[in-house]
Amino acid sequence: LAVAFPGAVMRIYTDKPVIQKPGEEYLAIVGFAYPLQTFAVLISFLLRTTERVKAPLICSIVSLVVNFCINYVLIYGKFGIPEMGLLGAGISTLASGAVNLILLFLYLLRSKCSVSLHLSQMFVFKGGFIRRYLLNAFPILCNELLYGVGQMLVNIVIGHQDESAIAAM
């Protein structure tokens, strides 16, 4: 949605055309980073659940530093690169997301982390599995869902304030 319909997404978050236009351009670029970030989170969780916590931490730190450095160069136009402002921030976010995913994937390949997933085992629901799963996971799922909706609503409320309040955020 962010890539295909950035204008529609931005209109949900703010009614200010002066914010919508640059937000659309930013979102159209940053939308490509969302799948990369999703896969990076999945790999990070996989590594953390197999007691490999240092690699995701280091990859996240490197990604953060890359984002910071590329932001500096692209937003302000340093080292002979033209000043790009908000578009530079979008490109930086995309680049740092790619760096994070590539580093995590390279770590997986280098460490020979073996995780075997068999479809036949993934869809066997014996011994009250679904009931046990829902008893444990339902409160977590509700919490995450409500947290996400809450964050979205906060952003919508902020986006409908005057420009100075939005800039302050």
Side-chain angles (χ1 to χ4, degrees):
L1 290 174
V3 173
F5 308 106
V9 173
M10 284 305 298
R11 283 189 293 279
I12 293 170
Y13 285 98
T14 185
D15 58 351
K16 313 284 185 287
V18 71
I19 296 170
Q20 287 175 352
K21 182 63 177 156
E24 289 175 30
E25 295 170 358
Y26 173 79
L27 201 54
I29 294 171
V30 130
F32 287 104
Y34 296 152
L36 302 177
Q37 292 168 348
T38 300
F39 286 116
V41 166
L42 291 172
I43 293 171
S44 294
F45 284 171
L46 171 73
L47 290 170
R48 288 180 184 131
T49 58
T50 56
E51 298 181 1
R52 295 180 186 106
V53 296
K54 288 182 184 176
L57 175 65
I58 292 168
C59 292
S60 293
I61 291 170
V62 169
S63 174
L64 185 66
V65 170
V66 166
N67 193 10
F68 177 81
C69 293
I70 297 176
N71 268 332
Y72 176 73
V73 171
L74 295 182
I75 291 173
Y76 300 110
K78 301 297 180 184
F79 307 114
I81 294 183
E83 186 175 319
M84 298 177 75
L86 199 54
L87 292 178
I91 293 168
S92 175
T93 301
L94 177 58
S96 66
V99 165
N100 190 26
L101 182 60
I102 289 167
L103 289 175
L104 285 167
F105 191 70
L106 289 174
Y107 176 80
L108 275 177
L109 290 176
R110 199 181 111 247
S111 68
K112 296 182 175 93
C113 175
S114 64
V115 176
S116 61
L117 298 174
H118 301 284
L119 287 177
S120 61
Q121 293 175 342
M122 293 175 71
F123 298 103
V124 175
F125 305 114
K126 295 180 183 175
F129 172 78
I130 293 176
R131 179 173 154 43
R132 278 192 331 237
Y133 176 80
L134 288 176
L135 282 173
N136 290 317
F138 188 72
I140 297 167
L141 293 172
C142 289
N143 177 65
E144 293 298 319
L145 176 67
L146 292 175
Y147 179 80
V149 169
Q151 287 297 106
M152 185 177 76
L153 291 175
V154 166
N155 289 331
I156 289 171
V157 169
I158 290 169
H160 286 82
Q161 303 301 314
D162 62 40
E163 284 86 356
S164 62
I166 295 169
M169 282 302 292

